[in-house]
Amino acid sequence: MTSIPIQKTITPKPKPSIQGLPFGKYFTDHMFLMDYVEGQGWINPRIVPYGPFSLDPGTIVLHYAQEIFEGLKAYGTPEDGVQLFRPEENIRRLNLSAERMCIPPVPEDVAFLGLKELIALERDWVPMEAGASLYIRPFIFATEVTLGVYPSQTYTFCIITCPVGSYYPEGVNPVKILIETEDVRAVRGGTGYVKCGGNYAASIRAGGRAAAAGFSQVLWLDGLHRKYVEEVGSMNVMFKIDGHVITPELSGSVLGGITRKSVLALLQSWGVPVAERLISVDELIAAANAGKLEEAWGTGTAAVISPIGEITYEGVRYVINDGQTGALTQKVYDNLTGIQWGRQEDPFGWTVRVC
Ligand SMILES: *Cc1c(COP(=O)(O)O)cnc(C)c1O
């Protein structure tokens, strides 16, 4: 396949002002679609005007959540180009999620071509303001009409995009987080390592409680022992303890973030010692009490790096780096965003120019 058929909209929408634009509310003019039909495979890739789906109330995804998604961004460069950051990693992970959820894998070349052609078509929607980007949401859902519990025979693969402003309009800001001791988001053997809507549905309650108590995110502990640190909100988490950067290993209940992987590579290239291993909450608190918990941050596509200024565990607050963004946190943020927005050289070959 060398190109995707495109049906252009005849009613283009006005482009909103990027300032104050809420995340994920305002979508662009077109979307990519592809269908799966048992016996025929993935068929009919196409780009069409953005618009609603019509679903039978008995559609299987509405009942049993056989659904997966991805998240990445298109970045406007100083030369007025548009580039993606490690998109092949997102497509690979989409198929990893598909395997877990019994969804047939999408052909990677068609998905990649559809993604690039959609972004090229929507290039005027890619915001050029500092820190702004075009967020890209690929997703696949089961469309068979049945209340039977088995893998659907039909699926829809869709990619939608939306302009998003800077995550940090007032500069990078450390957040307060709460260690969640009741709810868990995932267990080994479950779906914690894949991007599926169900993981998010299960995490909303704890997130809401934390927000009501004045915290930005929860720090999740493992589902079996409630002992080992796993993720922060829907981001991976890293700690700088006594000069070493430590992040939870990908044990099966932790999502393998592309930002996480990229940050580890950056740190290694600078000679910073990094370890992927189990970190117990006791180790973390002991390090904090000994003054050795030097920095902490979350990693994910949306915020890139989210510094953690304070952790609360069983009612006790632990302030990290006086609540300020740490020097290494800032260096990682500056370098990674520099590569993503094309402001600095990309020695790793991570970026893909689209147009
Ligand atoms: C998407 C996601 C991340 C971050 O992954 P990136 O590829 O870095 O955006 C981390 N944790 C969870 C639970 C996620 O869904």
Side-chain angles (χ1 to χ4, degrees), residues 93 185 195 200 231 234-236 255 257-260 299-301:
R93 189 171 65 191
R185 68 169 283 280
K195 265 185 129 61
Y200 280 66
E231 298 202 45
S234 50
M235 288 182 284
N236 295 113
L255 193 290
I258 297 160
T259 318
R260 173 188 183 278
T299 70
T301 296

mmCIF file of all heavy atoms in Angstrom, residues 93 185 195 200 231 234-236 255 257-260 299-301, ligand 1:
data_model
loop_
_atom_site.group_PDB
_atom_site.id
_atom_site.type_symbol
_atom_site.label_atom_id
_atom_site.label_comp_id
_atom_site.label_asym_id
_atom_site.label_seq_id
_atom_site.Cartn_x
_atom_site.Cartn_y
_atom_site.Cartn_z
ATOM 1 N N ARG A 93 3.471 -1.060 20.351
ATOM 2 C CA ARG A 93 2.763 -1.229 21.620
ATOM 3 C C ARG A 93 1.259 -1.445 21.402
ATOM 4 O O ARG A 93 0.622 -2.191 22.151
ATOM 5 C CB ARG A 93 3.015 -0.023 22.529
ATOM 6 C CG ARG A 93 2.482 -0.226 23.945
ATOM 7 C CD ARG A 93 2.931 0.870 24.871
ATOM 8 N NE ARG A 93 2.383 2.158 24.487
ATOM 9 C CZ ARG A 93 2.778 3.327 25.009
ATOM 10 N NH1 ARG A 93 3.717 3.362 25.936
ATOM 11 N NH2 ARG A 93 2.227 4.452 24.609
ATOM 12 N N ARG A 185 -4.412 -0.390 40.578
ATOM 13 C CA ARG A 185 -4.795 -0.228 39.181
ATOM 14 C C ARG A 185 -4.567 -1.494 38.374
ATOM 15 O O ARG A 185 -5.179 -1.681 37.327
ATOM 16 C CB ARG A 185 -4.105 0.968 38.515
ATOM 17 C CG ARG A 185 -2.636 0.843 38.310
ATOM 18 C CD ARG A 185 -2.065 1.944 37.422
ATOM 19 N NE ARG A 185 -2.328 1.740 36.008
ATOM 20 C CZ ARG A 185 -1.646 0.920 35.225
ATOM 21 N NH1 ARG A 185 -0.665 0.183 35.690
ATOM 22 N NH2 ARG A 185 -1.954 0.794 33.942
ATOM 23 N N LYS A 195 -2.333 -0.684 27.152
ATOM 24 C CA LYS A 195 -3.127 0.538 27.196
ATOM 25 C C LYS A 195 -4.557 0.190 26.825
ATOM 26 O O LYS A 195 -4.906 0.129 25.655
ATOM 27 C CB LYS A 195 -2.552 1.563 26.215
ATOM 28 C CG LYS A 195 -1.597 2.549 26.867
ATOM 29 C CD LYS A 195 -1.145 3.610 25.905
ATOM 30 C CE LYS A 195 -1.320 4.996 26.464
ATOM 31 N NZ LYS A 195 -0.551 5.243 27.679
ATOM 32 N N TYR A 200 -8.054 2.452 33.037
ATOM 33 C CA TYR A 200 -8.350 3.835 33.394
ATOM 34 C C TYR A 200 -9.645 3.911 34.204
ATOM 35 O O TYR A 200 -9.735 4.638 35.191
ATOM 36 C CB TYR A 200 -8.418 4.698 32.126
ATOM 37 C CG TYR A 200 -7.035 5.084 31.643
ATOM 38 C CD1 TYR A 200 -6.141 4.134 31.165
ATOM 39 C CD2 TYR A 200 -6.611 6.396 31.715
ATOM 40 C CE1 TYR A 200 -4.874 4.473 30.749
ATOM 41 C CE2 TYR A 200 -5.337 6.752 31.307
ATOM 42 C CZ TYR A 200 -4.471 5.788 30.821
ATOM 43 O OH TYR A 200 -3.209 6.136 30.430
ATOM 44 N N GLU A 231 3.357 3.121 39.462
ATOM 45 C CA GLU A 231 3.245 4.245 38.537
ATOM 46 C C GLU A 231 2.672 5.438 39.292
ATOM 47 O O GLU A 231 2.158 5.302 40.406
ATOM 48 C CB GLU A 231 2.303 3.903 37.374
ATOM 49 C CG GLU A 231 2.802 2.738 36.539
ATOM 50 C CD GLU A 231 2.213 2.739 35.133
ATOM 51 O OE1 GLU A 231 2.176 3.807 34.496
ATOM 52 O OE2 GLU A 231 1.800 1.667 34.685
ATOM 53 N N SER A 234 -1.303 8.206 35.483
ATOM 54 C CA SER A 234 -1.094 7.398 34.279
ATOM 55 C C SER A 234 0.262 7.721 33.669
ATOM 56 O O SER A 234 0.401 7.853 32.454
ATOM 57 C CB SER A 234 -2.236 7.614 33.289
ATOM 58 O OG SER A 234 -2.438 8.986 33.100
ATOM 59 N N MET A 235 1.252 7.845 34.545
ATOM 60 C CA MET A 235 2.633 8.054 34.101
ATOM 61 C C MET A 235 3.542 7.029 34.777
ATOM 62 O O MET A 235 3.232 6.531 35.860
ATOM 63 C CB MET A 235 3.115 9.457 34.497
ATOM 64 C CG MET A 235 2.495 10.590 33.705
ATOM 65 S SD MET A 235 3.175 12.183 34.210
ATOM 66 C CE MET A 235 2.306 12.418 35.744
ATOM 67 N N ASN A 236 4.678 6.782 34.154
ATOM 68 C CA ASN A 236 5.727 6.018 34.830
ATOM 69 C C ASN A 236 6.419 6.933 35.827
ATOM 70 O O ASN A 236 6.299 8.158 35.748
ATOM 71 C CB ASN A 236 6.728 5.471 33.800
ATOM 72 C CG ASN A 236 6.090 4.462 32.867
ATOM 73 O OD1 ASN A 236 5.943 4.704 31.671
ATOM 74 N ND2 ASN A 236 5.694 3.327 33.405
ATOM 75 N N LEU A 255 2.992 -0.185 32.851
ATOM 76 C CA LEU A 255 2.929 0.120 31.422
ATOM 77 C C LEU A 255 4.324 0.529 30.940
ATOM 78 O O LEU A 255 4.964 1.393 31.551
ATOM 79 C CB LEU A 255 1.905 1.256 31.236
ATOM 80 C CG LEU A 255 1.350 1.660 29.864
ATOM 81 C CD1 LEU A 255 2.389 2.350 28.987
ATOM 82 C CD2 LEU A 255 0.706 0.514 29.119
ATOM 83 N N GLY A 257 6.217 2.694 29.181
ATOM 84 C CA GLY A 257 6.095 3.995 28.530
ATOM 85 C C GLY A 257 7.254 4.259 27.566
ATOM 86 O O GLY A 257 8.390 3.860 27.815
ATOM 87 N N ILE A 258 6.930 4.945 26.488
ATOM 88 C CA ILE A 258 7.952 5.313 25.504
ATOM 89 C C ILE A 258 8.770 6.493 26.039
ATOM 90 O O ILE A 258 9.974 6.583 25.808
ATOM 91 C CB ILE A 258 7.272 5.611 24.150
ATOM 92 C CG1 ILE A 258 6.596 4.321 23.651
ATOM 93 C CG2 ILE A 258 8.274 6.134 23.120
ATOM 94 C CD1 ILE A 258 5.526 4.528 22.614
ATOM 95 N N THR A 259 8.136 7.359 26.807
ATOM 96 C CA THR A 259 8.872 8.440 27.462
ATOM 97 C C THR A 259 9.848 7.851 28.475
ATOM 98 O O THR A 259 11.007 8.265 28.553
ATOM 99 C CB THR A 259 7.899 9.409 28.159
ATOM 100 O OG1 THR A 259 6.776 9.643 27.305
ATOM 101 C CG2 THR A 259 8.562 10.726 28.483
ATOM 102 N N ARG A 260 9.376 6.869 29.247
ATOM 103 C CA ARG A 260 10.225 6.175 30.227
ATOM 104 C C ARG A 260 11.480 5.628 29.558
ATOM 105 O O ARG A 260 12.607 5.870 30.012
ATOM 106 C CB ARG A 260 9.408 5.037 30.855
ATOM 107 C CG ARG A 260 10.179 4.095 31.779
ATOM 108 C CD ARG A 260 9.286 2.912 32.157
ATOM 109 N NE ARG A 260 9.933 1.993 33.094
ATOM 110 C CZ ARG A 260 10.783 1.037 32.736
ATOM 111 N NH1 ARG A 260 11.118 0.876 31.453
ATOM 112 N NH2 ARG A 260 11.328 0.249 33.657
ATOM 113 N N THR A 299 6.833 10.313 34.050
ATOM 114 C CA THR A 299 7.117 10.440 32.616
ATOM 115 C C THR A 299 5.925 9.938 31.800
ATOM 116 O O THR A 299 5.343 8.898 32.109
ATOM 117 C CB THR A 299 8.358 9.616 32.187
ATOM 118 O OG1 THR A 299 8.052 8.213 32.244
ATOM 119 C CG2 THR A 299 9.561 9.909 33.064
ATOM 120 N N GLY A 300 5.574 10.698 30.771
ATOM 121 C CA GLY A 300 4.479 10.291 29.887
ATOM 122 C C GLY A 300 4.364 11.282 28.737
ATOM 123 O O GLY A 300 4.861 12.409 28.844
ATOM 124 N N THR A 301 3.697 10.880 27.688
ATOM 125 C CA THR A 301 3.619 11.718 26.490
ATOM 126 C C THR A 301 2.986 13.083 26.759
ATOM 127 O O THR A 301 3.439 14.098 26.240
ATOM 128 C CB THR A 301 2.829 10.974 25.394
ATOM 129 O OG1 THR A 301 3.580 9.807 25.052
ATOM 130 C CG2 THR A 301 2.615 11.831 24.160
HETATM 131 C C1 LIG B 1 0.419 5.753 28.361
HETATM 132 C C2 LIG B 1 0.799 5.435 29.754
HETATM 133 C C3 LIG B 1 2.058 5.768 30.282
HETATM 134 C C4 LIG B 1 3.075 6.588 29.540
HETATM 135 O O1 LIG B 1 3.458 6.057 28.303
HETATM 136 P P1 LIG B 1 4.160 7.003 27.237
HETATM 137 O O2 LIG B 1 4.414 6.074 26.092
HETATM 138 O O3 LIG B 1 5.411 7.504 27.844
HETATM 139 O O4 LIG B 1 3.205 8.092 26.908
HETATM 140 C C5 LIG B 1 2.346 5.354 31.577
HETATM 141 N N1 LIG B 1 1.448 4.688 32.321
HETATM 142 C C6 LIG B 1 0.222 4.369 31.852
HETATM 143 C C7 LIG B 1 -0.730 3.628 32.723
HETATM 144 C C8 LIG B 1 -0.145 4.724 30.557
HETATM 145 O O5 LIG B 1 -1.363 4.408 30.107
#
